[in-house]
């Protein structure tokens, strides 16, 4: 898709260029833009039908006239029928995976991408300018450009480009939200700004006045964008596969951050159960790409190589089976597209059949020779099987030609049955039938297994009832969630509520492989049981310090086992680590004031302004020109504390009005809101 930069005559406050960065042209006639336009149109139609249904239901309750009730019931049946048709069309959009695939992709099974959530336009200008005038007693016309920049940024987030620039655009807007919340969303009054987002699976709108829904929806779209980048990658090259793996792992990381941070999400597509399923699906697709990366150079026709690939394929099958099991659970199964669940079933059977084919090839094509390592082959075979048929051992299978062929042919029969099941499930979904590349791959794999079976078929085959054992799944490269770069570290430690020292460098020199301390905690790890006489203590290490780096490796998100793995092989020369020490809370930090909205507690930060006690003459005070608030929280660009010389939320008059407020921490430190009401 063509990604464009549209000039609007406004300079980006984050740079020197003469244009403001925007997303894709919403009017561009590309597959992805057409899909999003259809989604927006369907959402509007669903709203209309839901309003008609609500009105009809209210009339049915209020009316006592039988004729009116009959007419209303008829109208309700018509509206419900329309809603079902619209939901089916929305499911079709979520099943349109071919739009997101690489145009050159014909040799790999298609992957699933998430669609972007749609939202309504929001006009900040009038309400924000009124708030500036009423609450801060500033000239509201001085901030027209800054507010226009913010509205432009939100509008461009509706059509982000499908690359890292699009993710950066969403992250940029996301970083402004906590600071915008602290400046304009007072706990004592409603702003009158309504944020409306549509459920990506049902099309049902959710509307709220606070920014929690806005934050959660932007995070969801970041994950969706990462998934679209992953599906578009060229999986015929190593670089493309690495991009796909990283993108799906980042998508899983963003979804996990969304799940843990926003626990009361009113939108069904961001409910904990749905997010858990989506995380599994993203990790399954990352594991599939890892398998493809291993197989990309070619699979050598050797015993050990075939056994390794069998276990790798079994791992992919196992993960997709877990994804399918989560999709068929109530209430997820009612809203997940049928295409998704059938695709996960197809991949479960396909990769399980591939695993049996690899084991069959290893047993049928390779006999134990005098030069082969008998013990190593026995060990390899025993690690592949969870159990063996009665009376058989790995060594018997390897040494006896008849047993080897019998077990090998049993595996090839299971491979054939699995491929046939995958083709049967494929035929059940009309959306899957549109993917000709998938059908070609399934048929080719099935034919390959049939050919292998024909090569080793004999006349006594009908009397052989040996069942092939299950294959133990194993992988050398497990797909794991990647933490999004927008966060600075675990929020339980690295947040605006906590203060810590600057990182200190400590030289670790083990004595008899003893570092002189132990580690505890999840992320980041903490130093405990420190020996005061060890070299690290002499170099400045303290009890309770947090390790943030080992050598050149950032450890803010690593657990105890990962950090211990980095420290395990340190030699006598030692290694440098970086640590921080938690400090006591700063009494000058902004105070907290609690309020209730929707019967759930909500905490807001009040604005506290610094002032000079020596400045006694209010007439001599001058407002210093500051950068626009659109640049708050941007890296290397927070050169001043605030755009507005804002007064404190305290109306007692104890603080002067026109003094600049102190520099705020990075906006990522505020992203720990756990409530959406």
């Amino acid at each position: 898709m063509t990604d464009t930069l549209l000039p609007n005559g406004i300079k980006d406050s984050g740079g020197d260029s003469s244009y403001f960065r925007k997303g894709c042209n919403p009017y561009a006639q590309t597959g992805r833009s057409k899909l999003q336009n259809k989604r927006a149109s369907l959402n509007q139609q669903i709203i209309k039908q839901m309003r008609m249904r609500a009105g009809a239901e209210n009339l049915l309750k209020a009316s006592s006239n039988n004729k009116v009730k009959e007419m209303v019931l008829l109208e309700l049946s018509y509206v419900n029928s329309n809603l079902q048709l619209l939901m089916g069309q929305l499911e079709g959009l979520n099943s349109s995976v071919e739009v997101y695939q690489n145009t050159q992709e014909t040799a790999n099974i298609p992957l699933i991408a998430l669609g972007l959530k749609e939202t309504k336009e929001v006009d900040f200008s009038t309400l924000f300018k009124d708030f500036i005038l009423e609450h801060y007693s500033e000239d509201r016309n001085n901030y027209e450009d800054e507010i226009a920049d913010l509205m432009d940024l939100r509008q461009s987030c509706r059509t982000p480009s499908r690359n890292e620039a699009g993710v950066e655009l969403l992250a940029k807007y996301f970083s402004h939200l906590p600071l915008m919340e602290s400046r304009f969303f007072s706990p004592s009054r409603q702003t009158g700004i309504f944020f409306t987002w549509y459920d990506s699976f049902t099309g049902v709108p959710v509307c709220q006045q606070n920014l929690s829904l806005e934050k959660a929806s932007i995070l969801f779209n970041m994950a969706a964008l990462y998934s679209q980048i992953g599906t578009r990658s060229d999986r015929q090259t190593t670089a493309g596969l690495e991009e796909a793996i990283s993108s799906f792992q980042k998508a899983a990381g963003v979804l996990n951050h969304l799940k843990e941070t926003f626990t009361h999400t009113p939108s069904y597509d961001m409910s904990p159960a749905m997010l858990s399923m989506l995380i599994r699906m993203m990790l399954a697709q990352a594991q599939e790409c890892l398998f493809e990366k291993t197989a990309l150079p070619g699979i050598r026709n050797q015993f050990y190589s075939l056994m390794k690939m069998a276990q790798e394929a079994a791992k992919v099958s196992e993960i997709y089976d877990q994804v399918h099991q989560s999709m068929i659970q109530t209430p997820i199964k009612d809203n997940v597209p049928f295409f998704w669940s059938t695709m996960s079933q197809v991949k479960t059977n396909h990769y399980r059949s591939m695993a049996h084919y690899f084991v069959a090839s290893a047993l049928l094509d390779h006999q134990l020779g005098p030069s082969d390592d008998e013990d190593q082959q026995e060990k390899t075979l025993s690690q592949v099987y969870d159990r063996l048929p009665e009376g058989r051992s790995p060594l018997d299978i390897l040494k006896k030609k008849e047993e080897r062929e019998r077990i090998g042919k049993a595996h090839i029969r299971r491979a054939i049955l699995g491929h046939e099941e995958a083709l049967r499930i494929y035929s059940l979904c009309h959306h899957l039938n549109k993917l000709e590349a998938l059908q070609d791959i399934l048929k080719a794999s099935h034919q390959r297994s049939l050919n292998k079976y024909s090569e080793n078929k004999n006349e006594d085959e009908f009397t052989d009832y040996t069942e092939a054992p299950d294959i133990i799944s194993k992988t050398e490269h497990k797909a794991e969630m990647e933490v999004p770069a927008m966060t600075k570290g675990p929020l339980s430690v690295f947040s605006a509520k906590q203060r810590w020292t600057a990182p200190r460098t400590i030289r670790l020199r083990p004595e008899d492989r003893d570092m002189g301390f132990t580690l505890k905690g999840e992320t980041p790890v903490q130093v405990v049981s420190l020996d005061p006489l060890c070299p690290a203590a002499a170099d400045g290490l303290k009890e309770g310090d947090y390790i943030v780096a080992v050598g050149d490796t950032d450890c803010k998100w690593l657990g105890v086992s990962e950090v211990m793995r980095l420290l395990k092989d340190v030699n006598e020369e030692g290694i440098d680590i970086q640590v921080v020490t938690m400090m006591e809370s700063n009494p000058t930090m902004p105070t907290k004031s609690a309020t209730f909205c929707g019967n759930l507690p909500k905490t807001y930060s009040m604005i506290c302004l610094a002032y000079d006690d020596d400045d006694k003459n209010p007439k001599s005070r001058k407002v210093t020109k500051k950068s626009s608030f659109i640049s708050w929280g941007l890296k290397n660009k927070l050169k001043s504390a605030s755009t507005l010389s804002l007064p404190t939320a305290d109306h007692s008059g104890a603080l002067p009005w026109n003094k600049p407020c102190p520099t705020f921490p990075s906006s990522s430190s505020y992203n720990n809101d756990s409530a959406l009401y």
Side-chain angles (χ1 to χ4, degrees):
M1 178 172 184
T2 303
D3 299 330
T4 57
L5 292 171
L6 305 178
N8 68 349
I10 300 176
K11 284 190 177 183
D12 185 359
S13 57
D16 299 328
S17 53
S18 59
Y19 56 80
F20 187 85
R21 183 182 299 178
K22 288 204 171 189
C24 296
N25 184 353
Y27 300 105
Q29 294 299 305
T30 63
R32 194 170 70 113
S33 63
K34 290 179 181 178
L35 203 65
Q36 285 301 127
N37 290 335
K38 288 180 182 178
R39 187 185 296 274
S41 175
L42 282 175
N43 289 335
Q44 294 300 322
Q45 295 179 56
I46 289 173
I47 284 183
K48 180 180 178 181
Q49 296 298 323
M50 291 186 68
R51 288 173 177 169
M52 292 177 63
R53 184 173 68 177
E57 289 175 346
N58 290 335
L59 180 59
L60 186 64
K61 293 177 182 178
S63 177
S64 57
N65 189 308
N66 290 333
K67 287 188 176 181
V68 172
K69 286 186 175 182
E70 289 179 3
M71 293 177 62
V72 171
L73 288 172
L74 181 63
E75 181 68 19
L76 270 176
S77 65
Y78 175 74
V79 170
N80 287 329
S81 177
N82 283 343
L83 274 174
Q84 288 182 357
L85 291 174
L86 292 172
M87 295 292 185
Q89 294 180 39
L90 189 59
E91 180 181 346
L93 293 184
N94 288 325
S95 304
S96 302
V97 297
E98 65 277 2
V99 175
Y100 301 106
Q101 307 301 312
N102 188 292
T103 54
Q104 307 298 325
E105 193 67 69
T106 57
N108 296 95
I109 298 179
L111 300 171
I112 296 175
L114 301 179
L116 298 176
K117 288 174 67 70
E118 286 289 330
T119 181
K120 285 185 177 180
E121 292 186 18
V122 176
D123 186 359
F124 298 134
S125 57
T126 303
L127 294 170
F128 275 13
K129 287 192 287 187
D130 289 347
F131 191 83
I132 290 171
L133 177 63
E134 297 173 10
H135 188 74
Y136 299 115
S137 301
E138 294 275 347
D139 186 354
R140 60 184 181 180
N141 295 322
N142 291 341
Y143 306 103
E144 288 185 352
D145 289 345
E146 287 81 357
I147 295 174
D149 283 354
L150 182 62
M151 292 175 59
D152 267 353
L153 182 60
R154 187 185 189 275
Q155 181 67 17
S156 63
C157 286
R158 300 178 67 183
T159 56
S161 57
R162 192 165 41 157
N163 50 32
E164 287 294 333
V167 176
E168 181 184 347
L169 187 70
L170 293 174
K172 183 178 181 181
Y173 178 63
F174 182 81
S175 69
H176 294 338
L177 294 178
L179 298 169
M180 186 169 71
E181 184 176 36
S182 67
R183 292 306 197 269
F184 296 105
F185 288 76
S186 170
S188 60
R189 58 179 286 182
Q190 296 292 336
T191 60
I193 298 176
F194 291 88
F195 298 95
T196 302
W197 288 84
Y198 297 90
D199 191 297
S200 60
F201 294 105
T202 64
V204 176
V206 177
C207 183
Q208 286 192 349
Q209 290 197 61
N210 61 48
L211 280 170
S212 296
L213 177 63
E214 186 89 345
K215 295 177 191 176
S217 299
I218 291 295
L219 282 177
F220 185 93
N221 277 0
M222 286 179 67
L225 200 57
Y226 273 126
S227 72
Q228 294 178 16
I229 294 172
T231 55
R232 192 189 63 171
S233 302
D234 184 4
R235 289 151 62 198
Q236 295 301 309
T237 64
T238 302
L241 282 169
E242 288 177 350
E243 180 186 38
I245 293 165
S246 177
S247 297
F248 286 122
Q249 291 183 151
K250 287 177 181 177
V254 174
L255 291 171
N256 186 65
H257 179 66
L258 170 59
K259 176 187 172 185
E260 293 182 349
T261 307
F262 299 92
T263 57
H264 298 285
T265 317
S267 183
Y268 179 75
D269 57 356
M270 296 186 290
S271 64
M274 180 62 76
L275 290 175
S276 297
M277 184 276 293
L278 293 177
I279 291 169
R280 289 193 185 98
M281 187 173 72
M282 294 298 112
L283 290 177
Q285 296 188 140
Q287 192 67 50
E288 183 179 3
C289 293
L290 282 167
F291 173 81
E292 292 175 354
K293 182 182 175 183
T294 305
L296 185 63
I299 302 172
R300 292 179 297 175
N301 190 14
Q302 297 177 357
F303 182 84
Y304 300 110
S305 178
L306 291 169
M307 287 297 185
K308 172 188 172 183
M309 293 306 298
Q311 291 190 292
E312 292 280 356
K315 185 65 177 179
V316 179
S317 173
E318 179 185 63
I319 297 178
Y320 270 114
D321 185 49
Q322 294 172 359
V323 172
H324 177 253
Q325 293 303 319
S326 64
M327 286 182 178
I328 61 177
Q329 300 298 319
T330 306
I332 296 177
K333 66 178 181 180
D334 298 327
N335 295 292
V336 169
F338 180 64
F339 170 87
W340 288 16
S341 59
T342 51
M343 175 68 91
S344 62
Q345 276 186 292
V346 166
K347 291 187 176 183
T348 298
N349 286 279
H350 173 71
Y351 284 105
R352 182 185 296 134
S353 300
M354 288 183 66
H356 285 288
Y357 175 83
F358 288 135
V359 173
S361 299
L363 294 176
L364 295 173
D365 297 347
H366 301 279
Q367 301 296 327
L368 185 62
S371 60
D372 294 329
D373 189 339
E374 180 180 303
D375 293 338
Q376 185 62 31
Q377 285 202 15
E378 181 185 9
K379 180 181 178 182
T380 301
L381 190 61
S382 63
Q383 291 176 346
V384 169
Y385 292 141
D386 186 19
R387 60 172 182 81
L388 285 170
E390 283 188 42
R392 293 183 176 93
S393 66
L395 193 58
D396 291 336
I397 296 174
L398 292 171
K399 283 187 172 182
K400 298 178 181 179
K401 183 179 179 181
E402 292 182 358
E403 286 294 327
R404 192 172 185 131
E405 290 182 352
R406 185 176 290 110
I407 297 296
K409 285 186 282 189
H411 278 292
I412 205 66
R413 285 196 297 271
R414 282 198 66 176
I416 292 171
L417 290 174
H419 286 308
E420 290 174 350
E421 179 66 10
L423 285 167
R424 185 190 69 82
I425 297 171
Y426 167 84
S427 65
L428 296 178
C429 179
H430 69 278
H431 290 296
L432 276 179
N433 293 332
K434 298 177 183 178
L435 304 177
E436 295 181 359
L438 175 59
Q439 185 182 30
D440 293 341
I441 292 171
L442 295 178
K443 286 184 175 180
S445 300
H446 181 231
Q447 187 61 46
R448 183 179 58 183
S449 296
L450 288 174
N451 294 340
K452 177 67 69 175
Y453 182 75
S454 299
E455 293 172 4
N456 297 273
K457 187 177 181 181
N458 56 49
E459 297 178 357
D460 299 330
E461 190 66 32
F462 68 93
T463 62
D464 189 0
Y465 300 103
T466 303
E467 182 179 354
D470 292 331
I471 299 171
I472 298 176
S473 64
K474 183 181 178 182
T475 181
E476 294 182 356
H477 306 284
K478 183 180 179 182
E480 295 180 339
M481 292 180 289
E482 285 189 22
V483 178
M486 60 185 176
T487 55
K488 299 298 182 184
L491 294 175
S492 59
V493 175
F494 300 105
S495 69
K497 299 179 181 179
Q498 306 288 353
R499 295 179 62 243
W500 53 92
T501 62
R504 309 189 312 278
T505 301
I506 306 294
R507 188 70 178 181
L508 293 186
R509 297 181 179 86
E511 295 181 343
D512 298 329
R513 303 183 63 84
D514 183 14
M515 294 291 182
F517 58 86
T518 58
L519 301 175
K520 77 168 187 177
E522 295 181 356
T523 55
V525 297
Q526 192 174 18
V527 174
V528 294
S529 303
L530 176 65
D531 182 358
L533 301 179
C534 71
D539 202 18
L541 188 65
K542 300 178 182 179
E543 180 85 10
D545 280 351
Y546 291 92
I547 298 179
V548 295
V550 174
D552 296 329
T553 304
D554 190 335
C555 297
K556 295 185 185 72
W557 288 95
L558 298 185
V560 172
S561 59
E562 290 89 350
V563 175
M564 289 299 296
R565 193 178 300 117
L566 294 173
L567 297 176
K568 182 177 65 173
D569 298 327
V570 176
N571 55 28
E572 295 179 355
E573 295 181 0
I575 190 172
D576 287 336
I577 66 170
Q578 286 192 331
V579 299
V580 296
T581 304
M582 190 70 67
M583 300 171 62
E584 294 182 2
S585 299
N586 188 354
T588 62
M589 290 293 286
T591 58
K592 298 289 182 181
S593 103
T595 186
F596 285 82
C597 181
N599 296 325
L600 286 176
K602 179 80 174 175
T603 302
Y604 295 83
S605 296
M606 298 178 66
I607 303 170
C608 295
L609 304 181
Y611 65 98
D612 189 356
D613 291 333
D614 296 332
D615 190 0
K616 303 297 183 181
N617 186 5
K619 294 182 180 180
S620 65
R621 297 170 187 152
K622 295 181 179 180
V623 177
T624 306
K625 180 64 177 177
K626 304 294 182 182
S627 62
S628 69
F629 65 82
I630 201 72
S631 64
W632 292 349
L634 300 181
K635 294 187 295 183
N636 302 324
K637 301 197 178 149
L638 194 54
K639 297 181 179 178
S640 62
S642 169
T643 303
L644 312 174
S645 298
L646 304 180
T648 178
D650 183 2
H651 297 283
S652 63
L655 297 179
W657 285 17
N658 294 325
K659 285 294 179 181
C661 68
T663 303
F664 278 74
S666 171
S667 62
S668 60
S669 301
Y670 292 87
N671 300 336
N672 59 348
D673 194 358
S674 61
L676 275 179
Y677 295 98

